[in-house]
Amino acid sequence: MAPTLTLKSGTSWPGAWQRCHAVAPEAFRDDRVLNLWNSAWQEDGRVLPAVSPVDGSPIAGPPRLDGPTAGQAVRAALDQHRAWRHVPLAERRARVAATLDALTEHRRLLALLLVWEIGKPWRLAQADVDRAIDGVRWYVDGIEPMVAGRAPLDGPVSNIASWNYPMSVLVHALLVQALAGNAVIAKTPTDGGVACLTLASALAAREGIPVTLVSGSGGELSQALVRAPEIGCVSFVGGRDTGAAVATALADLGKRHVLEQEGLNTWGIWNYSDWDALTALIPKLFDYGKQRCTAYPRFVVQRHLFDAFLAAYLPAVRDVRVGHPLAVEKPDDPYAELDFGPVINAAKAKDLQDQVAEAIERGAVPLHRGSPADARFLDGQDTSAYVQPVTLLDPPSSSPLHHAEPFGPVDTIVLVDTEAELLAAMNASNGALVATLSTDDRATYERLAPHIRAFKVGHGRPRSRGDRDELFGGLGASWRGAFVGGELLVRAVTRGPAGERLPGNFPEYQLLP
C-alpha cells in the first residue's frame, strides 16, 4: 500500500505569496501583481483568474494590459533606453552584478514560485534559477571584449518568451541585453510565471536596471511589442505558428530579430550496440515532461535493431518518476526526486491525450503507457494537468504526432531500413534545434551528421541549449534571425561596423558561426 503523502513544510502557495509581498511590496498587492513600466509599478490591467497546474488551486493571474497602454509602456521604455545606453559599462556591470546578488539571496523563493506556476519539480526549478544567475555572471565577468567597437541598439529589446524557462531563458536574456546597453521589455508568458518574473523584475528594477514587464494577449500587444517603431529588436521564443505571425509582422520593418521556434528534435539509432548507455539516458530525456525546446520526442530506429532498442528503452521509461512536486511522506522530508510533474495546464493535458488516442485509432501501436497509480499524488488532489509517459510506434502521417513536437511526455518511434530513410525521418519537421545520432562507428556519424537539419547534432548524447560560451540557433523553420549564445547573444543586441552580417538564419542569407 502506497504511503499517504503531505505537502512539504514551508512550500504552500499562500506562504510563497506572503514572502513575495514581504520581499517586494512595491510589486505585489494582496490579490495581484502589478505591471512595471515608466520606471514605476502600475496597478493597471485586467487580472485574469489562474490556477496552478500542480493541483488546480488558485494562484496569481496576469494583469493584462490593452494595446494603447502597452504602447505607452513602449514609448516610456524608449526614454529609458536613450538614458541607459550612455551609462558607462562599469556602472552597468555593477548594477547587473548587484541584481544577481539579489536573485541569489532569493533563489529558493524564485524556484518555489516556478514549482507552483509552471509545475517544475524542485530540482529543475532550482536549476532554472541557478542557470540564469551563473550564466549572466559569465557575461558580467567577460563583457568588455564582447562590446568593444559595438554600440547599443537604437531602441529597447522586446522579449516575448514561452512559459517553460522564465529564469534561464527570459531573465537571463533581459540582464545580458541590459548589460550590453539596452533597455529591456518583457511580456509575461500567458500560461504561467507571472509571480516569478515579477519578483525577478522587482529585484532588477531596484538596482536601476531599465526593465519593463507587462502582461497581455499576444495579438493585442503585438502592435506595441513587435511593430512599434521604438523597438530596436524583437526576441521571441515559442511555437512555429506564433513565431510565423511575429516574422510576418517584422517582414517589412527591417528590424533586428531573434525568433527561436520549435522543431521535431530526433534521435537516430543506426548500427548501434551500447544499449546500457542508452538505458541510462532515457529517464533524463523526460526531464520536465519533455516541455523543452531541446527535448527529444522522436526516435528513428534501424528496423533490425528494434528488438534490442525496446529491451533498452522500455525498462528505463517504466522507471520515469511522475507526481506532485511538493508531495512528501513527512513534512520535513527532502523534496521528492521526480522527472516531471504536471504539464502546463489541464487543457494541454487533454490535447495530448486526445492526440494519442486519435493516433492509436488511426494505426499507431502503443508500446508503453504509464499508470497514474504509479504517480505520487496527495489524496484527493486535482490531477487534470498530469499526463503519464506514452510511447507510440509509427504514428500515422495524418497525426500531429507524426511531424510536430508534442511538448509533453509522448515519445514516438519510426522504423527505417536505409540511411536515406533515416535522414528523411530525422528531418521530418524541416529543421530543428538539436538532434542526436547513436552509431558505433565514428566515421558513419561524421558522414551522416552534416545531412541532419539541426543546429546541434550529438554523437550518442543529447544536446542542450547550452550555457555561457556555447552558441545556439536552429536550422530550417526552427529559427529566424540572429543566432545567440556566448558572444553572439551580445552581437545580436548591439550594432557593429557598417555592413556587418550577423550569423543567423535570415530570408536573404544564412550564415553559420
Side-chain angles (χ1 to χ4, degrees):
M1 181 177 178
T4 300
L5 303 179
T6 187
L7 194 69
K8 180 172 172 59
S9 177
T11 64
S12 72
W13 171 258
W17 184 259
Q18 290 171 6
R19 290 163 63 189
C20 290
H21 201 286
V23 172
E26 69 272 26
F28 292 82
R29 296 293 179 265
D30 290 340
D31 60 344
R32 62 173 292 168
V33 300
L34 306 184
N35 288 298
L36 172 59
W37 59 275
N38 196 24
S39 302
W41 292 95
Q42 312 277 356
E43 197 165 343
D44 51 15
R46 180 170 60 94
V47 180
L48 296 184
V51 298
S52 170
V54 170
D55 63 0
S57 60
I59 59 172
R64 293 165 65 111
L65 294 181
D66 57 26
T69 307
Q72 294 180 48
V74 169
R75 289 188 287 275
L78 178 61
D79 292 337
Q80 287 182 300
H81 180 82
R82 287 171 171 165
W84 179 254
R85 68 199 303 258
H86 297 296
V87 172
L89 177 59
E91 183 176 344
R92 299 200 305 263
R93 285 184 64 190
R95 293 189 184 187
V96 172
T99 300
L100 297 178
D101 290 342
L103 294 174
T104 301
E105 179 183 355
H106 299 290
R107 59 187 285 273
R108 292 180 67 86
L109 176 55
L110 291 163
L112 182 58
L113 294 173
L114 292 182
V115 174
W116 281 111
E117 293 192 284
I118 62 174
K120 285 200 170 184
W122 178 252
R123 171 179 59 88
L124 300 178
Q126 277 203 307
D128 191 17
V129 176
D130 290 344
R131 284 181 64 186
I133 296 169
D134 296 342
V136 178
R137 284 199 195 281
W138 182 85
Y139 284 93
V140 169
D141 292 340
I143 189 63
E144 287 94 340
M146 298 185 199
V147 297
R150 308 188 67 81
L153 300 175
D154 293 332
V157 182
S158 176
N159 293 268
I160 304 169
S162 56
W163 42 264
N164 53 342
Y165 284 90
M167 293 294 299
S168 63
V169 173
L170 183 50
V171 171
H172 177 279
L174 295 175
L175 293 179
V176 176
Q177 293 160 5
L179 181 63
N182 303 287
V184 292
I185 304 169
K187 176 188 171 300
T188 302
T190 303
D191 287 322
V194 62
C196 179
L197 286 169
T198 299
L199 179 58
S201 298
L203 298 175
R206 285 182 182 176
E207 303 301 337
I209 304 297
V211 58
T212 295
L213 180 67
V214 295
S215 296
S217 158
E220 192 166 6
L221 301 193
S222 176
Q223 181 63 36
L225 300 184
V226 176
R227 297 188 61 89
E230 294 89 349
I231 297 296
C233 176
V234 176
S235 177
F236 169 87
V237 180
R240 287 194 179 183
D241 290 345
T242 305
V246 172
T248 299
L250 291 169
D252 300 327
L253 301 177
K255 198 183 296 291
R256 187 74 61 89
H257 59 282
V258 177
L259 308 183
E260 175 188 330
Q261 301 170 144
E262 65 191 17
L264 184 62
N265 305 317
T266 58
W267 193 300
I269 307 288
W270 188 262
N271 292 340
Y272 180 70
S273 64
D274 192 358
W275 301 112
D276 289 343
L278 183 66
T279 298
L281 286 170
I282 294 301
K284 296 181 178 65
L285 301 182
F286 276 91
D287 273 358
Y288 195 34
K290 304 208 172 194
Q291 296 177 105
R292 299 177 289 119
C293 64
T294 55
Y296 288 84
R298 167 67 52 80
F299 288 91
V300 181
V301 182
Q302 192 173 11
R303 190 181 305 273
H304 81 80
L305 296 179
F306 185 46
D307 57 339
F309 171 82
L310 283 185
Y313 174 90
L314 289 176
V317 76
R318 290 173 185 141
D319 286 341
V320 169
R321 301 154 300 179
V322 186
H324 188 307
L326 303 173
V328 293
E329 293 184 27
K330 298 177 182 178
D332 294 328
D333 280 353
Y335 291 92
E337 285 292 329
L338 299 176
D339 295 296
F340 64 93
V343 296
I344 187 58
N345 52 45
K348 176 62 177 178
K350 183 179 185 304
D351 180 58
L352 283 170
Q353 290 158 350
D354 288 348
Q355 287 186 28
V356 168
E358 182 182 40
I360 293 172
E361 287 178 2
R362 296 183 180 183
V365 179
L367 299 177
H368 171 75
R369 280 188 274 198
S371 170
D374 298 327
R376 294 172 56 90
F377 294 131
L378 301 179
D379 284 348
Q381 77 161 83
D382 185 316
T383 60
S384 59
Y386 290 80
V387 178
Q388 303 305 312
V390 177
T391 307
L392 301 179
L393 174 66
D394 282 338
S397 58
S398 59
S399 167
L401 297 176
H402 179 79
H403 55 79
E405 181 181 15
F407 227 64
V410 179
D411 275 349
T412 57
I413 300 171
V414 173
L415 303 181
V416 295
D417 296 297
T418 67
E419 290 183 356
E421 291 176 340
L422 173 80
L423 293 173
M426 292 190 71
N427 293 329
S429 67
N430 183 28
L433 304 176
V434 297
T436 291
L437 178 61
S438 288
T439 180
D440 293 341
D441 181 36
R442 181 74 192 187
T444 298
Y445 171 80
E446 297 288 356
R447 178 167 50 81
L448 296 178
H451 300 286
I452 300 171
R453 288 178 54 77
F455 187 79
K456 295 180 181 181
V457 181
H459 184 195
R461 62 185 182 89
R463 300 302 308 270
S464 69
R465 204 174 194 277
D467 292 302
R468 302 177 178 89
D469 58 350
E470 189 173 355
L471 307 182
F472 191 59
L475 298 187
S478 68
W479 196 279
R480 301 170 192 258
F483 295 145
V484 296
E487 183 182 359
L488 292 190
L489 175 53
V490 174
R491 291 175 65 183
V493 295
T494 54
R495 288 188 293 107
E500 177 184 46
R501 281 161 51 101
L502 294 175
N505 190 15
F506 297 92
E508 60 274 20
Y509 74 88
Q510 181 187 82
L511 179 62
L512 295 176

